[in-house]
Amino acid sequence: MAWVIAGIFLYVVPPADDPAHADVLLVLGPPDRRIGYAEELMQQGYAPTLAVSSPVGADGKFTAEICGAQRTFRIICFHPDPFTTQGEARALTDLSQRYGWKSANVLTAQFHVTRSRVIIGRCYTGDLHMIADRRGLPLVSMSNPTYSWAYQYVYQTAAFVKVAIHPEC
């Protein structure tokens, strides 16, 4: 029961930040429905640059459609190595050094906010705002089990154990 209650605060309603004006808005992978929310935030002027963590297809191109799009804001797509939150945190640090970014809004699914804040905070020393893409997930889903609270509770808890075991950036 304690695990379920703790999970409510860690995964369902995590302490997330409001978007703030920043140097970059980073969308953690995979670049799914969060891209639409990211574009809304960009249109509202929260950052001049949108950075998107995207897989690369067999053709060598980024799979996120926005990577080839023309917008009024700068778009930087990257494929972190490894393609994990830790790889994304390292990439944010590298890109920040390259472009002089001092602040970042990081957009991810609500169930990933707390863990990604810990991981990114280990690598990135700038002003960090973790933005939650809120989702109305079912408790259990037979058609798409990874997008259910039952799955996310188990997955995110196991991933937190990994974070505890590997405290490096």
Side-chain angles (χ1 to χ4, degrees):
M1 190 59 148
W3 176 60
V4 171
I5 293 170
I8 290 172
F9 297 102
L10 291 172
Y11 315 133
V12 181
V13 289
D17 304 314
D18 290 328
H21 291 281
D23 296 321
V24 64
L25 171 62
L26 169 65
V27 179
L28 297 183
D32 53 13
R33 64 177 236 163
R34 288 176 280 226
I35 295 296
Y37 183 32
E39 287 202 75
E40 287 177 33
L41 294 173
M42 294 302 292
Q43 290 167 0
Q44 293 171 26
Y46 282 105
T49 302
L50 176 64
V52 179
S53 175
S54 176
V56 174
D59 60 0
K61 296 181 181 177
F62 292 108
T63 60
E65 289 181 28
I66 196 164
C67 294
Q70 295 295 316
R71 298 291 190 270
T72 58
F73 46 86
R74 177 188 220 179
I75 302 170
I76 298 173
C77 291
F78 65 96
H79 180 77
D81 181 30
F83 193 68
T84 63
T85 307
Q86 188 175 41
E88 292 166 328
R90 292 173 184 162
L92 174 59
T93 298
D94 293 345
L95 290 167
S96 293
Q97 290 171 351
R98 182 180 313 156
Y99 295 108
W101 299 336
K102 305 282 187 232
S103 58
N105 286 318
V106 177
L107 178 61
T108 191
Q110 75 199 53
F111 47 77
H112 188 230
V113 166
T114 306
R115 185 168 59 86
S116 60
R117 184 188 304 270
V118 171
I119 295 168
I120 293 169
R122 290 176 177 170
C123 299
Y124 181 69
T125 58
D127 189 20
L128 178 63
H129 304 275
M130 295 302 302
I131 313 302
D133 178 26
R134 305 253 176 225
R135 299 176 182 214
L137 299 179
L139 182 59
V140 177
S141 172
M142 296 303 174
S143 62
N144 192 357
T146 61
Y147 285 95
S148 70
W149 284 119
Y151 176 87
Q152 289 304 327
Y153 263 62
V154 172
Y155 180 88
Q156 296 299 329
T157 301
F160 259 118
V161 171
K162 180 181 174 189
V163 168
I165 293 171
H166 300 286
E168 67 277 352
C169 168

